[in-house]
Amino acid sequence: MNTTQQIEWNGTPCIELCAGGYRAWIAYEIGANVIRFRDEERGMEIFRYREDNNAEHIKQSPEVWGLPTLYLPNRFADGVLKTSDAVYQLPVNEAAPYNNHIHGFLHKRAHTVVEHHADDNCAVLKTQYRYDENDPFFEYLPIRFLAEYTFTLSACGLEHKVRLTNLSDKMMPISVATHTTINTPFVDGGKEEDIRLTVPIGKRCELDERCLPTQRFIDLKLYDLEYKNGTKCPVLQDINNDMYFAEETELEGQSFYGAIVEDTASGKRICYQVSPEYKFWIIWNDRGFNGYFCPEPMTAMIDAPNLELPRETTGYREIRPHDTFEANQRFFTMD
């Protein structure tokens, strides 16, 4: 029986979705973050989760727990954001030697629950956040918009749709990512050394010492090809912002646009499918020994609006007043 219900986890209000053998907890007051996603039948804890965690701890660094959605993601040099009709000065919240603005604000905001319901096919939650003068970030980015998230849980896994609507009279910059935290090990009783990651990548985007693009694209070396051929262990070593153009791979003989994580001992897999709007992958693992790693799909390159490259290369886009941008993802498991 598929269900949705209001629950409280260690003082954090959540909506719990149960369907298709999966369980998901969405902390709508912490950026509508999926702070727990579990395959109950296969015994798989998919996103980074700790039983003894609490809201205050998550709020200190919400980008490294669960499935946080970022707008505007990653780095903007010196906090500058250049759009086609304005230049915005964002706060520099990444210290020297970086001196960048990093990760925006949306993953920290309290969403409103619009509705949640379940039927014989799925369990659904819809949330929204209205960004306007009431948000403390508005002094830096005075562009009103509506963020709407839809979470659908079923036997097909967890689908996550982001919809952004420009409510201002200005052009709205679009760069979206999820700072996806994959738990390690993700199989109950598993070992980190058995985990392998497949990411279908094109050329590498070279970054400088400030983790900003040099605007050079590099052919893949043996290190990079481990992502492509599925031999990369994404933990127990330091992976620091490996950034690539996204390509397709195959899953069960079918074309697949996304990443695959496998526990080689059990054969259990996390399949992470993204829509074509996500044109880049960044892989990061917090130095590799903290029980998680992040395969991060991004719709645009780091610092994209400020680069000299064309938009069809960087993925950066803008939407006009009253226009809408949508992107979606799906997580499911396999043996």
Side-chain angles (χ1 to χ4, degrees):
M1 180 179 176
N2 302 329
T3 62
T4 69
Q5 64 173 333
Q6 174 88 44
I7 66 168
E8 189 170 285
W9 169 71
N10 292 352
T12 306
C14 301
I15 300 297
E16 179 188 72
L17 309 181
C18 294
Y22 298 100
R23 181 185 306 271
W25 294 350
I26 295 93
Y28 53 88
E29 291 187 352
I30 313 177
N33 189 335
V34 186
I35 58 168
R36 190 175 197 187
F37 179 39
R38 182 171 176 82
D39 183 330
E40 300 284 12
E41 295 179 354
R42 291 185 173 90
M44 298 170 66
E45 195 74 60
I46 296 166
F47 298 150
R48 186 189 188 204
Y49 169 79
R50 301 292 180 269
E51 288 281 355
D52 59 352
N53 213 345
N54 59 55
E56 290 311 308
H57 189 209
I58 293 174
K59 287 176 181 178
Q60 290 174 16
S61 300
E63 64 277 0
V64 297
W65 296 98
L67 181 70
T69 301
L70 306 184
Y71 173 88
L72 301 143
N74 220 292
R75 294 167 170 88
F76 293 85
D78 304 310
V80 175
L81 169 57
K82 299 176 183 176
T83 68
S84 60
D85 60 359
V87 177
Y88 302 99
Q89 179 62 57
L90 309 181
V92 173
N93 57 359
E94 188 180 35
Y98 300 102
N99 293 307
N100 302 312
H101 175 77
I102 186 168
H103 290 333
F105 55 92
L106 196 54
H107 61 301
K108 301 177 181 180
R109 297 301 185 253
H111 280 225
T112 300
V113 173
V114 177
E115 63 171 299
H116 62 91
H117 65 270
D119 57 27
D120 292 341
N121 297 314
C122 61
V124 177
L125 165 67
K126 295 183 179 181
T127 74
Q128 68 176 30
Y129 179 75
R130 187 174 293 270
Y131 175 76
D132 57 21
E133 292 86 348
N134 295 310
D135 191 294
F137 204 86
F138 197 80
E139 65 175 294
Y140 307 108
L141 188 71
I143 302 175
R144 299 178 195 85
F145 67 85
L146 179 66
E148 299 172 285
Y149 298 174
T150 302
F151 304 90
T152 304
L153 192 65
S154 70
C156 295
L158 176 67
E159 296 180 53
H160 172 232
K161 178 183 285 187
V162 175
R163 178 181 170 94
L164 301 175
T165 302
N166 185 354
L167 302 179
S168 77
D169 57 0
K170 304 179 181 71
M171 299 298 287
M172 178 178 173
I174 295 294
S175 183
V176 175
T178 49
H179 206 279
T180 310
T181 66
I182 301 296
N183 202 55
T184 60
F186 60 86
V187 173
D188 294 353
K191 299 177 180 179
E192 286 189 299
E193 56 262 35
D194 293 329
I195 297 173
R196 296 295 180 270
L197 171 65
T198 301
V199 186
I201 54 174
K203 289 194 173 185
R204 184 182 184 113
C205 304
E206 184 182 63
L207 303 180
D208 65 17
E209 64 278 359
R210 295 174 62 192
C211 284
L212 298 170
T214 66
Q215 307 189 59
R216 291 181 61 236
F217 307 126
I218 303 172
D219 291 335
L220 301 182
K221 300 178 180 178
L222 289 177
Y223 170 91
D224 309 297
L225 289 170
E226 291 180 356
Y227 289 117
K228 198 157 188 169
N229 62 30
T231 60
K232 177 71 74 179
C233 181
V235 286
L236 307 179
Q237 60 176 314
D238 187 7
I239 297 176
N240 189 11
N241 290 291
D242 290 349
M243 182 177 176
Y244 304 93
F245 287 91
E247 293 188 350
E248 287 190 347
T249 186
E250 281 195 357
L251 178 65
E252 305 289 289
Q254 301 293 317
S255 178
F256 184 76
Y257 191 66
I260 302 165
V261 189
E262 181 175 3
D263 175 79
T264 56
S266 65
K268 294 177 181 178
R269 289 174 285 177
I270 300 169
C271 305
Y272 182 10
Q273 186 175 29
V274 299
S275 63
E277 289 78 15
Y278 293 100
K279 300 181 182 300
F280 300 90
W281 288 99
I282 297 180
I283 299 90
W284 176 81
N285 68 5
D286 193 11
R287 298 177 296 281
F289 294 87
N290 288 299
Y292 73 105
F293 69 97
C294 298
E296 307 169 31
M298 291 181 62
T299 64
M301 290 175 62
I302 295 171
D303 205 26
N306 301 324
L307 302 179
E308 296 174 358
L309 299 166
R311 289 185 182 181
E312 55 266 27
T313 300
T314 66
Y316 175 70
R317 62 193 294 180
E318 297 175 355
I319 55 174
R320 298 177 181 278
H322 311 299
D323 280 358
T324 294
F325 169 83
E326 290 186 1
N328 57 77
Q329 307 179 1
R330 179 167 72 105
F331 299 85
F332 59 99
T333 56
M334 300 178 70
D335 292 315

